[in-house]
Amino acid sequence: MEDIYAIIDINDLLKVDFTQVGQTSENTVRKSLDNSKFVLKWQTMPTFITDGTIVPLHVLTHEDCLELMNTSEWTNNIE
């Protein structure tokens, strides 16, 4: 089964039930450089998504997520 990735608004971070996703706590999620968004991954859709408690900004495949993580919004360019 393939992992599904979602970009979530940072204001929803405390609503996440970490027993349902691949990350273990709010300290282990990847955040955008401006701290406005974070990434979650799962294989089975979490109930907090299906019941509308959290509405993802974007749902991505692994490949799409990797591409997004390489943008200036998520990664500092090292020269």
Side-chain angles (χ1 to χ4, degrees), residues 14-71:
L14 296 179
K15 299 175 188 174
V16 174
D17 176 354
F18 285 97
T19 65
Q20 298 183 48
V21 295
Q23 294 79 10
T24 57
S25 75
E26 62 188 67
N27 297 320
T28 62
V29 297
R30 170 93 181 253
K31 296 176 185 168
S32 61
L33 294 178
D34 67 1
N35 286 316
S36 67
K37 299 172 220 157
F38 66 98
V39 179
L40 287 179
K41 74 174 178 177
W42 62 77
Q43 290 187 342
T44 301
M45 184 79 70
T47 57
F48 57 83
I49 300 289
T50 60
D51 70 9
T53 299
I54 295 176
V55 176
L57 301 170
H58 303 284
V59 176
L60 307 165
T61 65
H62 182 253
E63 292 78 22
D64 292 337
C65 190
L66 287 175
E67 188 174 314
L68 181 63
M69 294 304 107
N70 284 319
T71 66

